[in-house]
């Protein structure tokens, strides 16, 4: 099944922007229409082109909140993806629907775009209530790494996973436990004897 999607890219680096455009055009099974949006006329250009998805570097000059951007451009249904040069703390990009890192593989990027376009149905939504309360062995490993202060990239490297997979695991953990902070996960890890206090003090 082909996925048709109009994507606008806001990135000050011509090298990064061109590379991303070339990658997006080559994704199999996706028909991508790309729109280059000038930073200085961001709102007006979005109002004109009305893209399905906006990929934007969160630190572009003159940037303001995603909610305000959607409202002022009239693109309330537009999905927003943060383009980061390196893994960022989740609180910096919490307003975004997804985030892409320069180290992401083409497969990682395609999976994220398919999920945003509604072509991919997350299997975890079909889990029973009991399954949603139980962490897998891999998820417990992720919890331990998070509690120890490791970044997503460090966790990915340590467990031989992609950053995308680590982020997916973290979302599943938050959904299952209804815990959305590192401090909350720390309490959970201690209570369930996943870590020792000495590990946390480091």
């Amino acid at each position: 099944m082909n996925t048709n999607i109009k994507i606008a890219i806001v990135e000050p680096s011509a090298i990064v922007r061109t590379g991303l455009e070339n990658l997006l055009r080559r994704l199999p099974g996706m028909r991508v229409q790309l729109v280059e949006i000038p930073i200085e006329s961001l709102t007006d250009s979005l109002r004109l082109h009305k893209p399905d998805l906006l990929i934007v570097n969160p630190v572009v000059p003159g940037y303001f909140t995603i909610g305000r951007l959607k409202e002022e451009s009239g693109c309330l249904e537009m999905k927003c993806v943060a383009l980061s040069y390196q893994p960022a703390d989740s609180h910096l990009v919490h307003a975004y629907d997804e985030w892409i890192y320069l180290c992401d593989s083409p497969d990682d990027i395609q999976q994220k775009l398919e999920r945003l376009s509604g072509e991919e149905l997350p299997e975890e939504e079909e889990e029973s209530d009991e399954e949603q309360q139980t962490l897998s062995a891999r998820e417990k490993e992720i919890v331990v790494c998070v509690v120890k202060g490791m970044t997503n990239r460090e966790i990915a490297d340590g467990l031989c996973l992609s950053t995308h997979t680590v982020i997916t695991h973290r979302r599943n953990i938050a959904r299952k436990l209804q815990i959305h902070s590192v401090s909350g996960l720390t309490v959970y890890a201690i209570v369930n004897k996943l870590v020792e206090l000495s590990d946390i003090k480091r």
Side-chain angles (χ1 to χ4, degrees):
M1 177 184 297
N2 283 336
T3 300
N4 297 296
I5 184 169
K6 181 189 286 189
I7 300 177
I9 299 176
V10 179
E11 164 56 49
S13 168
I15 294 175
V16 173
R17 185 173 62 251
T18 301
L20 180 57
E21 289 173 350
N22 288 335
L23 185 151
L24 292 174
R25 288 192 178 97
R26 296 175 182 173
L27 292 179
M30 300 194 75
R31 297 179 60 184
V32 176
Q33 178 184 349
L34 294 174
V35 179
E36 191 169 322
I37 301 290
I39 296 174
E40 59 273 11
S41 59
L42 178 57
T43 303
D44 291 338
S45 295
L46 290 176
R47 187 181 298 114
L48 173 65
H49 295 288
K50 295 196 177 302
D52 302 306
L53 188 147
L54 172 67
I55 299 178
V56 58
N57 187 328
V59 298
V60 296
Y63 168 74
F64 46 80
T65 65
I66 289 298
R68 180 180 170 190
L69 181 62
K70 288 183 177 183
E71 182 178 349
E72 294 190 356
S73 65
C75 299
L76 298 178
E77 302 300 320
M78 177 179 65
K79 301 294 185 181
C80 295
V81 177
L83 175 61
S84 178
Y85 289 9
Q86 60 185 359
D89 292 334
S90 58
H91 74 275
L92 296 177
V93 289
H94 70 278
Y96 291 83
D97 299 292
E98 186 57 88
W99 50 93
I100 290 174
Y101 304 121
L102 292 191
C103 56
D104 280 350
S105 69
D107 286 342
D108 287 339
I109 293 175
Q110 179 157 4
Q111 287 176 15
K112 293 176 182 182
L113 296 184
E114 287 176 343
R115 185 163 55 250
L116 287 175
S117 64
E119 296 294 335
E120 183 179 72
L121 179 63
E123 295 180 1
E124 60 267 22
E125 290 185 1
E126 300 178 0
E127 294 178 351
S128 67
D129 291 339
E130 181 177 350
E131 289 172 325
Q132 289 180 1
Q133 301 302 318
T134 305
L135 297 186
S136 67
R138 177 63 83 188
E139 288 168 343
K140 289 178 181 178
E141 286 182 307
I142 300 288
V143 168
V144 171
C145 292
V146 171
V147 168
K148 289 182 177 180
M150 296 173 66
T151 65
N152 288 336
R153 172 50 60 188
E154 290 171 338
I155 296 172
D157 291 343
L159 299 180
C160 297
L161 302 171
S162 70
T163 305
H164 166 72
T165 299
V166 172
I167 292 170
T168 299
H169 278 309
R170 292 189 65 168
R171 286 179 175 168
N172 290 341
I173 291 166
R175 176 181 52 79
K176 288 181 177 181
L177 302 180
Q178 290 299 298
I179 296 174
H180 303 280
S181 66
V182 174
S183 59
L185 284 178
T186 301
V187 173
Y188 172 86
I190 293 173
V191 170
N192 289 275
K193 303 185 185 303
L194 299 181
V195 297
E196 301 290 337
L197 282 175
S198 58
D199 294 326
I200 301 168
K201 288 178 180 178
R202 288 191 306 162

